[in-house]
Amino acid sequence: MQQAMHRVVVLALPGVFPYELGIPAKAFGLAYGPHGDRLYEVLTCTPDGRTVRTSEDFSIAVEHDASVIATADTLIVAAIDDPIGGSDPLPKPVAAALAQLRPGTRVVSICTASFVLAAAGLLDGRPATTHWIHAERFRELYPRTPLDPDVLYVDDGDVLTSAGAAAGMDLCLHLIRHDHGSEIANQVARLCVVPPWRDGGQAQYIARPVPDVTGSDTAGAREWALRQLHQPIKLAQLATQAGMSVRTFSRRFRAETGQTPGQWLTSQRLELARRLLESSDLPVDRVAEHAGFGSASSLRQHLAAAIGVSPAVYRRTFQGRNHDRTGRQPLSATG
């Protein structure tokens, strides 16, 4: 029997930003399983089902009112131009809409919609983020929420918040990756012509995408290296592949990728190890061998330094559809 589609409901409030409103439908609407089956159903609603004004010079008509929130597996509140907060309570129509939430529904905010979640009490005592320009105001209004304005998004299990517009797409891709693995998330990213994930600071489950190989002096060497990750690669070998001296190669490589050759190789080995941990049952020592780390101990050290978790924890978090979708491991990325 075919599994029911995961229902994503997007709540549009007065002053909604059109771009942010369209992100969930675009991202989740492009997620298909290996047999061409749609993985998500996306419904857009307003509190009363009527036309809602946007932040621009037009309004948007929707097909649903807030009653569909009661059927949501994931609720996403889109960003608005005038963040809710202050001495005024949450507007009654918004409060009534959020009251439709079922226990266990995953709740997501894009950009300034974090103010809506905070005003509803959904962020009390929980880590969150919002657009950096509104961070000071958010802290004043909601001191019980540990806010980190320096990250792209925060995943606190069943409540997730993101920063500005592009971070909303990052978070949607993260959710698809969390639900169905990296291959499907990467396919959605390619269709949207965006990076599958963006690199950031510490404690992140996000990898640096491979730089564009078109018209790049060191691209051939990078392509070669990606086929040799299982074995040691020396700087001189990379320079030879590019037909350059080691000094020239190192300078051009950093200019093109923003990393030293050693840093880039480590990031690519980590990315390969993550894919293997997500998609295979290989023992950790074999994963380390395939990714060129040599030993399970070396892989553990590098993975812990990059994202703060062990290979076993990473595998449990991201492998296929059987991971714990309500895990409370905080997740964030800067950028």
Side-chain angles (χ1 to χ4, degrees), residues 30 54 66 82-83 103 111 117 120 129 135 142 170 178 189 248 256 267:
L30 291 173
T54 72
D82 186 17
C111 193
L117 301 191
T129 192
Y142 306 110
D170 292 325
H178 186 272
T248 298
E256 293 166 12
S267 69

Side-chain angles (χ1 to χ4, degrees), residues 63-269:
E63 299 293 329
H64 306 281
D65 62 23
S67 63
V68 296
I69 293 176
T71 70
D73 298 300
T74 295
L75 171 69
I76 300 178
V77 184
I80 51 178
D81 61 357
D82 186 17
I84 291 173
S87 58
D88 296 332
L90 193 67
K92 289 183 179 179
V94 180
L98 295 178
Q100 302 284 333
L101 279 167
R102 296 178 301 172
T105 301
R106 186 166 58 186
V107 182
V108 178
S109 68
I110 296 179
C111 193
T112 52
S114 56
F115 282 77
V116 179
L117 301 191
L122 296 173
L123 296 182
D124 288 353
R126 307 189 70 158
T129 192
T130 193
H131 196 292
W132 62 268
I133 202 169
H134 298 290
E136 184 175 351
R137 181 184 178 192
F138 187 99
R139 286 194 176 113
E140 292 175 355
L141 295 174
Y142 306 110
R144 289 186 293 181
T145 299
L147 186 76
D148 188 348
D150 297 322
V151 300
L152 290 176
Y153 56 81
V154 172
D155 179 342
D156 194 39
D158 58 343
V159 176
L160 303 93
T161 53
S162 68
M169 176 62 80
D170 292 325
L171 181 49
C172 288
L173 290 172
H174 164 69
L175 289 171
I176 295 170
R177 188 170 190 254
H178 186 272
D179 292 344
H180 299 287
S182 60
E183 288 189 15
I184 291 174
N186 290 350
Q187 177 63 22
V188 171
R190 284 191 291 271
L191 291 170
C192 292
V193 197
V194 297
W197 47 82
R198 285 199 283 167
D199 196 9
Q202 298 176 351
Q204 63 196 345
Y205 289 109
I206 300 177
R208 183 182 299 276
V210 180
D212 187 358
V213 300
T214 303
S216 174
D217 288 337
T218 65
R222 281 182 273 132
E223 288 184 292
W224 175 84
L226 290 175
R227 298 192 295 269
Q228 316 295 326
L229 290 177
H230 60 286
Q231 60 186 16
I233 300 174
K234 296 181 179 180
L235 178 58
Q237 291 176 289
L238 290 169
T240 298
Q241 290 294 321
M244 304 176 190
S245 68
V246 169
R247 183 176 180 180
T248 298
F249 177 82
S250 298
R251 184 180 68 252
R252 292 190 180 179
F253 194 99
R254 179 182 281 276
E256 293 166 12
T257 69
Q259 297 175 293
T260 67
Q263 290 170 334
W264 182 83
L265 278 172
T266 297
S267 69
Q268 298 309 310
R269 294 188 195 281

Side-chain angles (χ1 to χ4, degrees), residues 284-285 288-289 292-300:
V284 172
D285 57 347
E289 180 182 329
F293 285 109
S295 68
S297 175
S298 178
L299 172 57
R300 290 189 187 97

